[in-house]
Amino acid sequence: MPPHFFDPISIIPEIIYTLVISLICLMIFLKTKDAYNLTKHKGIMYFRDAFLLLGLAYIMRLIFGIVNFSTSLFQIWIPRNIIFPSILLILSYLSTTGIIYLIYSSIWKKVQNHNVLLIGHLIAIIVAVISFYTRSHELLIGLQIILLIILVLGNMFSNKKKKIFSQAKILHILIAVFWLMNLWLIIPKSMFYNLEVKMILQIISIGVFTFIYYRVLKWLK
Amino acid sequence: MVKMNSSKKRDRLEVIYDILQIIQANQNSIKPTPLLRKSNLSSQGFKEYINELKEKELLKEAVDKKNRKYFTLTDKGFKYLEKYKTIMGFIEEFEL
């Protein structure tokens, strides 16, 4: 079977997509700065930090894809033994912490244990170390899916009085789900990879992020 | 006269807003005892909030010509009052 060749043209929409998402995340982070400085409200802090972490995670995702791409097509020497797992380590930590912070921003008041965030960071480090040693982004996705399910179920059971899936929580879950899908589709050799599906997912995820930014802007011009 | 919401427990941001609003309504100058009375807080709670507000530079303590202490809002305190409703709207919208 001939080797799979990565289409270099598909990297351009990938770069554009990453820049758009990272820019939106950065703008959400900056727009909420004043509100946080005035109130020192923890929920606002976790919300901001989540988007900063996810923005950085998307950039690392792009670098991860480029490193993978450049070793299969160009004759550029990259010390893969060091760079590839290192990028995966950083990517894992940033994205796992980002997801945890995002979900935690809406449940922190109900959780009375102050060590929860510390535990969250420990989980993110463990996931990052596992990804580093296994060099597998598919395993990272699997671990993050399990984490997301646990967080969502935990939120459902702790929230008996209010609506289980409010608009805000649905948006948070969608962001996490789109992150997982985009991480899966960064490598063309991934199973079920389909360029058209990928572009549709990316357009929808830009829509979700833009919608969140628009809602932030509505209150915090 | 500023009406205090005593029928339900106020959250932290609401208490801060109430304290700052009392000061503003009193022509930006009020002595500690009347402020304590109007804020509807225990003396321990009042002390903690005032320390927090001073630390966050939302209000400052000054002394008048007769050497009596009084509280006054800072620029940041005025900004807090101005932005409070929009920030609360944001917090409620995203359930933070």
Side-chain angles (χ1 to χ4, degrees), chain A residues 32 34-35 37-41 43-44 47 105-106 108-109 166 168-169 212 215-216 218-220, chain B residues 11-13 16 52 56 58 76-77 79-80 83 85-96:
Chain A
T32 49
D34 261 354
N37 284 342
L38 274 175
T39 61
K40 302 289 186 221
H41 189 268
I44 298 177
F47 181 82
S105 68
S106 57
W108 68 277
K109 274 185 185 170
S166 59
K169 288 192 174 70
I212 291 174
R215 301 304 282 184
V216 169
K218 177 188 157 192
W219 295 106
L220 307 174
Chain B
D11 77 3
R12 198 185 122 262
L13 294 185
I16 290 171
E52 185 183 339
K56 289 185 176 145
L58 291 170
K76 199 173 169 187
K79 198 174 176 187
Y80 184 101
K83 302 271 183 193
K85 283 198 169 66
T86 55
I87 293 173
M88 287 309 290
F90 166 71
I91 288 170
E92 277 171 34
E93 170 114 16
F94 286 94
E95 297 174 24
L96 302 178

mmCIF file of all heavy atoms in Angstrom, chain A residues 32 34-35 37-41 43-44 47 105-106 108-109 166 168-169 212 215-216 218-220, chain B residues 11-13 16 52 56 58 76-77 79-80 83 85-96:
data_model
loop_
_atom_site.group_PDB
_atom_site.id
_atom_site.type_symbol
_atom_site.label_atom_id
_atom_site.label_comp_id
_atom_site.label_asym_id
_atom_site.label_seq_id
_atom_site.Cartn_x
_atom_site.Cartn_y
_atom_site.Cartn_z
ATOM 1 N N THR A 32 -13.063 40.232 29.925
ATOM 2 C CA THR A 32 -13.518 39.949 31.287
ATOM 3 C C THR A 32 -12.529 40.451 32.337
ATOM 4 O O THR A 32 -12.756 40.292 33.535
ATOM 5 C CB THR A 32 -13.730 38.436 31.470
ATOM 6 O OG1 THR A 32 -12.581 37.737 30.983
ATOM 7 C CG2 THR A 32 -14.948 37.954 30.706
ATOM 8 N N ASP A 34 -11.601 43.570 33.297
ATOM 9 C CA ASP A 34 -12.114 44.643 34.172
ATOM 10 C C ASP A 34 -13.090 44.105 35.210
ATOM 11 O O ASP A 34 -13.030 44.485 36.388
ATOM 12 C CB ASP A 34 -12.865 45.679 33.328
ATOM 13 C CG ASP A 34 -11.983 46.869 33.030
ATOM 14 O OD1 ASP A 34 -10.865 46.906 33.585
ATOM 15 O OD2 ASP A 34 -12.413 47.737 32.259
ATOM 16 N N ALA A 35 -13.998 43.250 34.750
ATOM 17 C CA ALA A 35 -15.010 42.673 35.649
ATOM 18 C C ALA A 35 -14.334 41.898 36.769
ATOM 19 O O ALA A 35 -14.733 41.981 37.936
ATOM 20 C CB ALA A 35 -15.956 41.753 34.868
ATOM 21 N N ASN A 37 -11.134 42.319 37.830
ATOM 22 C CA ASN A 37 -10.348 43.243 38.664
ATOM 23 C C ASN A 37 -11.221 43.992 39.672
ATOM 24 O O ASN A 37 -10.803 44.261 40.781
ATOM 25 C CB ASN A 37 -9.592 44.248 37.798
ATOM 26 C CG ASN A 37 -8.379 43.613 37.158
ATOM 27 O OD1 ASN A 37 -7.914 42.558 37.597
ATOM 28 N ND2 ASN A 37 -7.888 44.223 36.099
ATOM 29 N N LEU A 38 -12.447 44.313 39.261
ATOM 30 C CA LEU A 38 -13.347 45.050 40.154
ATOM 31 C C LEU A 38 -13.917 44.157 41.260
ATOM 32 O O LEU A 38 -14.083 44.590 42.392
ATOM 33 C CB LEU A 38 -14.524 45.633 39.365
ATOM 34 C CG LEU A 38 -14.305 46.998 38.712
ATOM 35 C CD1 LEU A 38 -15.511 47.368 37.876
ATOM 36 C CD2 LEU A 38 -14.043 48.071 39.756
ATOM 37 N N THR A 39 -14.240 42.928 40.911
ATOM 38 C CA THR A 39 -14.992 42.076 41.846
ATOM 39 C C THR A 39 -14.168 40.968 42.485
ATOM 40 O O THR A 39 -14.536 40.462 43.541
ATOM 41 C CB THR A 39 -16.172 41.407 41.120
ATOM 42 O OG1 THR A 39 -15.650 40.600 40.062
ATOM 43 C CG2 THR A 39 -17.132 42.436 40.552
ATOM 44 N N LYS A 40 -13.082 40.551 41.809
ATOM 45 C CA LYS A 40 -12.298 39.384 42.245
ATOM 46 C C LYS A 40 -13.218 38.156 42.423
ATOM 47 O O LYS A 40 -13.000 37.331 43.306
ATOM 48 C CB LYS A 40 -11.542 39.653 43.556
ATOM 49 C CG LYS A 40 -10.600 40.828 43.473
ATOM 50 C CD LYS A 40 -9.390 40.525 42.605
ATOM 51 C CE LYS A 40 -8.393 41.687 42.660
ATOM 52 N NZ LYS A 40 -7.797 42.003 41.387
ATOM 53 N N HIS A 41 -14.201 38.077 41.549
ATOM 54 C CA HIS A 41 -15.169 36.974 41.612
ATOM 55 C C HIS A 41 -14.511 35.695 41.068
ATOM 56 O O HIS A 41 -13.988 35.690 39.945
ATOM 57 C CB HIS A 41 -16.401 37.338 40.774
ATOM 58 C CG HIS A 41 -17.554 36.399 40.917
ATOM 59 N ND1 HIS A 41 -17.723 35.322 40.082
ATOM 60 C CD2 HIS A 41 -18.583 36.364 41.784
ATOM 61 C CE1 HIS A 41 -18.836 34.670 40.442
ATOM 62 N NE2 HIS A 41 -19.360 35.281 41.468
ATOM 63 N N GLY A 43 -15.724 32.820 40.040
ATOM 64 C CA GLY A 43 -16.349 32.249 38.843
ATOM 65 C C GLY A 43 -15.834 32.922 37.585
ATOM 66 O O GLY A 43 -15.549 32.259 36.579
ATOM 67 N N ILE A 44 -15.689 34.250 37.643
ATOM 68 C CA ILE A 44 -15.170 34.993 36.498
ATOM 69 C C ILE A 44 -13.725 34.597 36.255
ATOM 70 O O ILE A 44 -13.272 34.405 35.113
ATOM 71 C CB ILE A 44 -15.258 36.525 36.717
ATOM 72 C CG1 ILE A 44 -16.710 36.950 36.883
ATOM 73 C CG2 ILE A 44 -14.604 37.279 35.565
ATOM 74 C CD1 ILE A 44 -16.908 38.423 37.178
ATOM 75 N N PHE A 47 -13.601 31.173 34.585
ATOM 76 C CA PHE A 47 -14.133 31.324 33.230
ATOM 77 C C PHE A 47 -13.063 31.904 32.294
ATOM 78 O O PHE A 47 -12.806 31.370 31.215
ATOM 79 C CB PHE A 47 -15.362 32.243 33.280
ATOM 80 C CG PHE A 47 -16.050 32.474 31.967
ATOM 81 C CD1 PHE A 47 -16.951 31.553 31.464
ATOM 82 C CD2 PHE A 47 -15.820 33.630 31.238
ATOM 83 C CE1 PHE A 47 -17.605 31.776 30.258
ATOM 84 C CE2 PHE A 47 -16.462 33.858 30.033
ATOM 85 C CZ PHE A 47 -17.356 32.937 29.539
ATOM 86 N N SER A 105 -16.090 26.524 36.559
ATOM 87 C CA SER A 105 -16.535 27.924 36.675
ATOM 88 C C SER A 105 -18.021 28.025 37.025
ATOM 89 O O SER A 105 -18.457 29.011 37.620
ATOM 90 C CB SER A 105 -16.245 28.690 35.379
ATOM 91 O OG SER A 105 -17.059 28.217 34.321
ATOM 92 N N SER A 106 -18.794 27.001 36.673
ATOM 93 C CA SER A 106 -20.232 27.074 36.970
ATOM 94 C C SER A 106 -20.641 26.196 38.161
ATOM 95 O O SER A 106 -21.788 26.221 38.573
ATOM 96 C CB SER A 106 -21.057 26.691 35.737
ATOM 97 O OG SER A 106 -20.699 25.418 35.290
ATOM 98 N N TRP A 108 -18.343 25.882 41.079
ATOM 99 C CA TRP A 108 -17.438 26.118 42.203
ATOM 100 C C TRP A 108 -18.170 26.493 43.486
ATOM 101 O O TRP A 108 -17.737 26.156 44.580
ATOM 102 C CB TRP A 108 -16.418 27.212 41.839
ATOM 103 C CG TRP A 108 -17.005 28.564 41.672
ATOM 104 C CD1 TRP A 108 -17.620 29.058 40.549
ATOM 105 C CD2 TRP A 108 -17.054 29.625 42.627
ATOM 106 N NE1 TRP A 108 -18.050 30.346 40.761
ATOM 107 C CE2 TRP A 108 -17.710 30.720 42.038
ATOM 108 C CE3 TRP A 108 -16.607 29.752 43.941
ATOM 109 C CZ2 TRP A 108 -17.932 31.920 42.696
ATOM 110 C CZ3 TRP A 108 -16.828 30.959 44.610
ATOM 111 C CH2 TRP A 108 -17.477 32.028 43.988
ATOM 112 N N LYS A 109 -19.312 27.176 43.338
ATOM 113 C CA LYS A 109 -20.049 27.597 44.538
ATOM 114 C C LYS A 109 -20.633 26.389 45.279
ATOM 115 O O LYS A 109 -20.773 26.392 46.496
ATOM 116 C CB LYS A 109 -21.196 28.522 44.154
ATOM 117 C CG LYS A 109 -20.800 29.969 44.039
ATOM 118 C CD LYS A 109 -22.004 30.829 43.769
ATOM 119 C CE LYS A 109 -21.592 32.246 43.525
ATOM 120 N NZ LYS A 109 -22.681 33.092 43.037
ATOM 121 N N SER A 166 -28.671 23.895 31.389
ATOM 122 C CA SER A 166 -28.998 25.267 31.031
ATOM 123 C C SER A 166 -28.186 25.639 29.792
ATOM 124 O O SER A 166 -27.279 24.906 29.388
ATOM 125 C CB SER A 166 -28.635 26.178 32.180
ATOM 126 O OG SER A 166 -27.257 26.034 32.433
ATOM 127 N N ALA A 168 -25.906 27.900 29.410
ATOM 128 C CA ALA A 168 -24.482 28.076 29.715
ATOM 129 C C ALA A 168 -23.768 26.726 29.772
ATOM 130 O O ALA A 168 -22.691 26.561 29.193
ATOM 131 C CB ALA A 168 -24.319 28.825 31.034
ATOM 132 N N LYS A 169 -24.388 25.760 30.436
ATOM 133 C CA LYS A 169 -23.743 24.445 30.578
ATOM 134 C C LYS A 169 -23.660 23.735 29.223
ATOM 135 O O LYS A 169 -22.665 23.081 28.925
ATOM 136 C CB LYS A 169 -24.515 23.587 31.583
ATOM 137 C CG LYS A 169 -24.328 24.072 33.005
ATOM 138 C CD LYS A 169 -24.832 23.103 34.021
ATOM 139 C CE LYS A 169 -24.509 23.547 35.432
ATOM 140 N NZ LYS A 169 -25.250 24.715 35.904
ATOM 141 N N ILE A 212 -20.468 32.762 22.137
ATOM 142 C CA ILE A 212 -20.072 33.024 23.530
ATOM 143 C C ILE A 212 -19.451 34.418 23.645
ATOM 144 O O ILE A 212 -19.774 35.182 24.560
ATOM 145 C CB ILE A 212 -19.079 31.951 24.028
ATOM 146 C CG1 ILE A 212 -19.808 30.618 24.163
ATOM 147 C CG2 ILE A 212 -18.459 32.348 25.369
ATOM 148 C CD1 ILE A 212 -18.927 29.452 24.501
ATOM 149 N N ARG A 215 -22.071 37.010 23.603
ATOM 150 C CA ARG A 215 -22.800 37.105 24.881
ATOM 151 C C ARG A 215 -21.963 37.829 25.945
ATOM 152 O O ARG A 215 -22.485 38.543 26.777
ATOM 153 C CB ARG A 215 -23.169 35.709 25.410
ATOM 154 C CG ARG A 215 -24.031 34.869 24.481
ATOM 155 C CD ARG A 215 -25.304 35.521 24.086
ATOM 156 N NE ARG A 215 -26.325 35.465 25.098
ATOM 157 C CZ ARG A 215 -27.573 35.918 24.957
ATOM 158 N NH1 ARG A 215 -27.931 36.486 23.826
ATOM 159 N NH2 ARG A 215 -28.447 35.820 25.913
ATOM 160 N N VAL A 216 -20.643 37.596 25.906
ATOM 161 C CA VAL A 216 -19.755 38.298 26.844
ATOM 162 C C VAL A 216 -19.787 39.795 26.540
ATOM 163 O O VAL A 216 -19.917 40.632 27.445
ATOM 164 C CB VAL A 216 -18.299 37.765 26.733
ATOM 165 C CG1 VAL A 216 -17.334 38.652 27.492
ATOM 166 C CG2 VAL A 216 -18.212 36.343 27.252
ATOM 167 N N LYS A 218 -22.068 41.491 25.139
ATOM 168 C CA LYS A 218 -23.384 42.081 25.433
ATOM 169 C C LYS A 218 -23.367 42.732 26.830
ATOM 170 O O LYS A 218 -23.943 43.777 27.050
ATOM 171 C CB LYS A 218 -24.430 40.975 25.362
ATOM 172 C CG LYS A 218 -25.842 41.393 25.697
ATOM 173 C CD LYS A 218 -26.755 40.183 25.785
ATOM 174 C CE LYS A 218 -27.966 40.497 26.640
ATOM 175 N NZ LYS A 218 -28.764 39.333 27.006
ATOM 176 N N TRP A 219 -22.685 42.080 27.766
ATOM 177 C CA TRP A 219 -22.643 42.584 29.136
ATOM 178 C C TRP A 219 -21.412 43.443 29.419
ATOM 179 O O TRP A 219 -21.501 44.425 30.150
ATOM 180 C CB TRP A 219 -22.659 41.418 30.140
ATOM 181 C CG TRP A 219 -23.925 40.648 30.106
ATOM 182 C CD1 TRP A 219 -24.110 39.407 29.564
ATOM 183 C CD2 TRP A 219 -25.197 41.053 30.622
ATOM 184 N NE1 TRP A 219 -25.423 39.027 29.708
ATOM 185 C CE2 TRP A 219 -26.114 40.007 30.363
ATOM 186 C CE3 TRP A 219 -25.657 42.191 31.287
ATOM 187 C CZ2 TRP A 219 -27.451 40.069 30.727
ATOM 188 C CZ3 TRP A 219 -26.999 42.246 31.650
ATOM 189 C CH2 TRP A 219 -27.879 41.198 31.372
ATOM 190 N N LEU A 220 -20.311 43.051 28.866
ATOM 191 C CA LEU A 220 -19.044 43.691 29.247
ATOM 192 C C LEU A 220 -18.386 44.413 28.077
ATOM 193 O O LEU A 220 -17.271 44.093 27.684
ATOM 194 C CB LEU A 220 -18.073 42.621 29.788
ATOM 195 C CG LEU A 220 -18.597 41.744 30.910
ATOM 196 C CD1 LEU A 220 -17.586 40.648 31.236
ATOM 197 C CD2 LEU A 220 -18.897 42.562 32.151
ATOM 198 N N ASP B 11 -25.479 37.894 48.512
ATOM 199 C CA ASP B 11 -24.173 37.327 48.217
ATOM 200 C C ASP B 11 -23.120 38.415 48.372
ATOM 201 O O ASP B 11 -23.427 39.590 48.547
ATOM 202 C CB ASP B 11 -24.157 36.624 46.857
ATOM 203 C CG ASP B 11 -24.083 37.581 45.691
ATOM 204 O OD1 ASP B 11 -23.979 38.802 45.910
ATOM 205 O OD2 ASP B 11 -24.146 37.109 44.547
ATOM 206 N N ARG B 12 -21.880 38.005 48.274
ATOM 207 C CA ARG B 12 -20.756 38.890 48.599
ATOM 208 C C ARG B 12 -20.771 40.170 47.765
ATOM 209 O O ARG B 12 -20.609 41.278 48.302
ATOM 210 C CB ARG B 12 -19.466 38.101 48.364
ATOM 211 C CG ARG B 12 -18.251 38.686 49.048
ATOM 212 C CD ARG B 12 -16.999 37.919 48.654
ATOM 213 N NE ARG B 12 -16.029 38.835 48.057
ATOM 214 C CZ ARG B 12 -15.838 39.008 46.755
ATOM 215 N NH1 ARG B 12 -16.519 38.298 45.883
ATOM 216 N NH2 ARG B 12 -14.952 39.862 46.303
ATOM 217 N N LEU B 13 -20.960 40.023 46.479
ATOM 218 C CA LEU B 13 -20.925 41.195 45.594
ATOM 219 C C LEU B 13 -22.063 42.159 45.902
ATOM 220 O O LEU B 13 -21.902 43.385 45.802
ATOM 221 C CB LEU B 13 -21.008 40.748 44.129
ATOM 222 C CG LEU B 13 -19.825 39.942 43.604
ATOM 223 C CD1 LEU B 13 -19.991 39.676 42.113
ATOM 224 C CD2 LEU B 13 -18.512 40.652 43.854
ATOM 225 N N ILE B 16 -21.186 44.170 49.038
ATOM 226 C CA ILE B 16 -20.212 45.215 48.683
ATOM 227 C C ILE B 16 -20.934 46.370 47.999
ATOM 228 O O ILE B 16 -20.694 47.545 48.305
ATOM 229 C CB ILE B 16 -19.110 44.628 47.780
ATOM 230 C CG1 ILE B 16 -18.231 43.670 48.587
ATOM 231 C CG2 ILE B 16 -18.256 45.741 47.165
ATOM 232 C CD1 ILE B 16 -17.235 42.864 47.762
ATOM 233 N N GLU B 52 -11.740 44.264 53.528
ATOM 234 C CA GLU B 52 -11.651 43.779 52.145
ATOM 235 C C GLU B 52 -11.771 44.945 51.165
ATOM 236 O O GLU B 52 -11.009 45.039 50.201
ATOM 237 C CB GLU B 52 -12.769 42.756 51.884
ATOM 238 C CG GLU B 52 -12.680 42.117 50.506
ATOM 239 C CD GLU B 52 -13.826 41.159 50.195
ATOM 240 O OE1 GLU B 52 -14.480 40.667 51.140
ATOM 241 O OE2 GLU B 52 -14.056 40.907 49.010
ATOM 242 N N LYS B 56 -8.995 46.231 48.536
ATOM 243 C CA LYS B 56 -9.276 46.266 47.095
ATOM 244 C C LYS B 56 -9.376 47.688 46.564
ATOM 245 O O LYS B 56 -9.686 47.902 45.399
ATOM 246 C CB LYS B 56 -10.577 45.527 46.810
ATOM 247 C CG LYS B 56 -10.419 44.047 46.990
ATOM 248 C CD LYS B 56 -11.646 43.281 46.594
ATOM 249 C CE LYS B 56 -11.330 41.803 46.724
ATOM 250 N NZ LYS B 56 -12.443 41.019 47.168
ATOM 251 N N LEU B 58 -11.572 49.984 47.013
ATOM 252 C CA LEU B 58 -12.901 50.420 46.579
ATOM 253 C C LEU B 58 -13.390 51.568 47.455
ATOM 254 O O LEU B 58 -14.235 52.362 47.052
ATOM 255 C CB LEU B 58 -13.893 49.258 46.644
ATOM 256 C CG LEU B 58 -13.653 48.161 45.607
ATOM 257 C CD1 LEU B 58 -14.505 46.934 45.891
ATOM 258 C CD2 LEU B 58 -13.977 48.650 44.204
ATOM 259 N N LYS B 76 -12.265 53.678 41.896
ATOM 260 C CA LYS B 76 -12.569 52.273 41.626
ATOM 261 C C LYS B 76 -13.928 51.907 42.245
ATOM 262 O O LYS B 76 -14.697 51.132 41.669
ATOM 263 C CB LYS B 76 -11.460 51.399 42.206
ATOM 264 C CG LYS B 76 -11.405 50.008 41.622
ATOM 265 C CD LYS B 76 -10.165 49.270 42.141
ATOM 266 C CE LYS B 76 -10.256 47.809 41.771
ATOM 267 N NZ LYS B 76 -9.180 47.002 42.366
ATOM 268 N N GLY B 77 -14.209 52.476 43.407
ATOM 269 C CA GLY B 77 -15.492 52.243 44.070
ATOM 270 C C GLY B 77 -16.658 52.768 43.254
ATOM 271 O O GLY B 77 -17.689 52.115 43.118
ATOM 272 N N LYS B 79 -16.585 53.136 40.060
ATOM 273 C CA LYS B 79 -16.658 52.282 38.875
ATOM 274 C C LYS B 79 -17.416 50.986 39.196
ATOM 275 O O LYS B 79 -18.186 50.487 38.365
ATOM 276 C CB LYS B 79 -15.232 51.957 38.410
ATOM 277 C CG LYS B 79 -15.169 51.467 36.986
ATOM 278 C CD LYS B 79 -13.734 51.300 36.519
ATOM 279 C CE LYS B 79 -13.724 50.710 35.116
ATOM 280 N NZ LYS B 79 -12.380 50.364 34.659
ATOM 281 N N TYR B 80 -17.189 50.471 40.385
ATOM 282 C CA TYR B 80 -17.883 49.252 40.817
ATOM 283 C C TYR B 80 -19.389 49.468 40.809
ATOM 284 O O TYR B 80 -20.150 48.640 40.304
ATOM 285 C CB TYR B 80 -17.414 48.859 42.226
ATOM 286 C CG TYR B 80 -17.989 47.559 42.727
ATOM 287 C CD1 TYR B 80 -17.237 46.386 42.703
ATOM 288 C CD2 TYR B 80 -19.293 47.486 43.237
ATOM 289 C CE1 TYR B 80 -17.758 45.186 43.164
ATOM 290 C CE2 TYR B 80 -19.820 46.295 43.689
ATOM 291 C CZ TYR B 80 -19.051 45.153 43.657
ATOM 292 O OH TYR B 80 -19.565 43.961 44.111
ATOM 293 N N LYS B 83 -20.647 49.640 37.225
ATOM 294 C CA LYS B 83 -20.579 48.393 36.441
ATOM 295 C C LYS B 83 -21.311 47.220 37.100
ATOM 296 O O LYS B 83 -21.429 46.158 36.481
ATOM 297 C CB LYS B 83 -19.112 47.968 36.262
ATOM 298 C CG LYS B 83 -18.247 48.994 35.577
ATOM 299 C CD LYS B 83 -18.266 48.806 34.102
ATOM 300 C CE LYS B 83 -17.344 49.768 33.419
ATOM 301 N NZ LYS B 83 -17.513 49.851 31.999
ATOM 302 N N LYS B 85 -24.380 46.237 37.852
ATOM 303 C CA LYS B 85 -25.517 45.541 37.230
ATOM 304 C C LYS B 85 -25.073 44.741 36.016
ATOM 305 O O LYS B 85 -25.523 43.612 35.804
ATOM 306 C CB LYS B 85 -26.607 46.533 36.843
ATOM 307 C CG LYS B 85 -27.430 47.001 38.026
ATOM 308 C CD LYS B 85 -28.759 47.629 37.611
ATOM 309 C CE LYS B 85 -29.683 47.858 38.780
ATOM 310 N NZ LYS B 85 -29.209 48.852 39.754
ATOM 311 N N THR B 86 -24.195 45.301 35.199
ATOM 312 C CA THR B 86 -23.769 44.572 33.996
ATOM 313 C C THR B 86 -22.933 43.349 34.380
ATOM 314 O O THR B 86 -23.069 42.291 33.768
ATOM 315 C CB THR B 86 -22.962 45.457 33.036
ATOM 316 O OG1 THR B 86 -21.867 46.023 33.733
ATOM 317 C CG2 THR B 86 -23.809 46.538 32.428
ATOM 318 N N ILE B 87 -22.077 43.505 35.395
ATOM 319 C CA ILE B 87 -21.267 42.363 35.830
ATOM 320 C C ILE B 87 -22.170 41.261 36.401
ATOM 321 O O ILE B 87 -21.978 40.074 36.103
ATOM 322 C CB ILE B 87 -20.207 42.792 36.872
ATOM 323 C CG1 ILE B 87 -19.169 43.702 36.204
ATOM 324 C CG2 ILE B 87 -19.508 41.580 37.483
ATOM 325 C CD1 ILE B 87 -18.180 44.328 37.155
ATOM 326 N N MET B 88 -23.169 41.655 37.176
ATOM 327 C CA MET B 88 -24.101 40.653 37.723
ATOM 328 C C MET B 88 -24.872 39.960 36.611
ATOM 329 O O MET B 88 -25.118 38.756 36.665
ATOM 330 C CB MET B 88 -25.084 41.307 38.710
ATOM 331 C CG MET B 88 -24.460 41.697 40.038
ATOM 332 S SD MET B 88 -23.530 40.376 40.838
ATOM 333 C CE MET B 88 -24.845 39.283 41.305
ATOM 334 N N GLY B 89 -25.230 40.728 35.590
ATOM 335 C CA GLY B 89 -25.919 40.139 34.437
ATOM 336 C C GLY B 89 -25.045 39.091 33.750
ATOM 337 O O GLY B 89 -25.497 38.009 33.384
ATOM 338 N N PHE B 90 -23.778 39.423 33.612
ATOM 339 C CA PHE B 90 -22.807 38.508 32.995
ATOM 340 C C PHE B 90 -22.667 37.243 33.836
ATOM 341 O O PHE B 90 -22.711 36.120 33.308
ATOM 342 C CB PHE B 90 -21.467 39.229 32.838
ATOM 343 C CG PHE B 90 -20.304 38.331 32.522
ATOM 344 C CD1 PHE B 90 -20.197 37.725 31.284
ATOM 345 C CD2 PHE B 90 -19.317 38.103 33.456
ATOM 346 C CE1 PHE B 90 -19.121 36.900 30.985
ATOM 347 C CE2 PHE B 90 -18.243 37.277 33.163
ATOM 348 C CZ PHE B 90 -18.149 36.676 31.936
ATOM 349 N N ILE B 91 -22.529 37.423 35.157
ATOM 350 C CA ILE B 91 -22.367 36.264 36.061
ATOM 351 C C ILE B 91 -23.606 35.364 35.994
ATOM 352 O O ILE B 91 -23.495 34.133 35.940
ATOM 353 C CB ILE B 91 -22.117 36.742 37.504
ATOM 354 C CG1 ILE B 91 -20.712 37.333 37.628
ATOM 355 C CG2 ILE B 91 -22.293 35.606 38.511
ATOM 356 C CD1 ILE B 91 -20.442 38.043 38.929
ATOM 357 N N GLU B 92 -24.774 35.978 35.951
ATOM 358 C CA GLU B 92 -26.014 35.165 35.884
ATOM 359 C C GLU B 92 -26.156 34.474 34.542
ATOM 360 O O GLU B 92 -26.558 33.325 34.469
ATOM 361 C CB GLU B 92 -27.237 36.057 36.124
ATOM 362 C CG GLU B 92 -27.495 36.267 37.605
ATOM 363 C CD GLU B 92 -28.566 37.312 37.883
ATOM 364 O OE1 GLU B 92 -29.511 37.408 37.085
ATOM 365 O OE2 GLU B 92 -28.427 38.013 38.893
ATOM 366 N N GLU B 93 -25.818 35.166 33.482
ATOM 367 C CA GLU B 93 -25.942 34.593 32.126
ATOM 368 C C GLU B 93 -25.093 33.330 31.983
ATOM 369 O O GLU B 93 -25.545 32.336 31.435
ATOM 370 C CB GLU B 93 -25.490 35.639 31.107
ATOM 371 C CG GLU B 93 -25.329 35.105 29.693
ATOM 372 C CD GLU B 93 -26.310 35.697 28.718
ATOM 373 O OE1 GLU B 93 -26.923 36.736 29.033
ATOM 374 O OE2 GLU B 93 -26.462 35.120 27.635
ATOM 375 N N PHE B 94 -23.867 33.393 32.500
ATOM 376 C CA PHE B 94 -22.962 32.252 32.351
ATOM 377 C C PHE B 94 -22.940 31.346 33.577
ATOM 378 O O PHE B 94 -22.151 30.420 33.660
ATOM 379 C CB PHE B 94 -21.542 32.742 32.016
ATOM 380 C CG PHE B 94 -21.410 33.230 30.604
ATOM 381 C CD1 PHE B 94 -21.562 34.577 30.311
ATOM 382 C CD2 PHE B 94 -21.164 32.360 29.560
ATOM 383 C CE1 PHE B 94 -21.473 35.041 29.004
ATOM 384 C CE2 PHE B 94 -21.060 32.806 28.252
ATOM 385 C CZ PHE B 94 -21.218 34.154 27.982
ATOM 386 N N GLU B 95 -23.831 31.665 34.543
ATOM 387 C CA GLU B 95 -23.968 30.833 35.760
ATOM 388 C C GLU B 95 -22.618 30.616 36.460
ATOM 389 O O GLU B 95 -22.261 29.493 36.821
ATOM 390 C CB GLU B 95 -24.588 29.479 35.408
ATOM 391 C CG GLU B 95 -25.997 29.618 34.865
ATOM 392 C CD GLU B 95 -26.585 28.327 34.386
ATOM 393 O OE1 GLU B 95 -26.158 27.255 34.852
ATOM 394 O OE2 GLU B 95 -27.481 28.366 33.540
ATOM 395 N N LEU B 96 -21.899 31.724 36.649
ATOM 396 C CA LEU B 96 -20.556 31.607 37.251
ATOM 397 C C LEU B 96 -20.611 31.644 38.775
ATOM 398 O O LEU B 96 -21.539 32.169 39.365
ATOM 399 C CB LEU B 96 -19.671 32.740 36.727
ATOM 400 C CG LEU B 96 -19.509 32.806 35.189
ATOM 401 C CD1 LEU B 96 -18.659 33.986 34.807
ATOM 402 C CD2 LEU B 96 -18.876 31.522 34.672
#
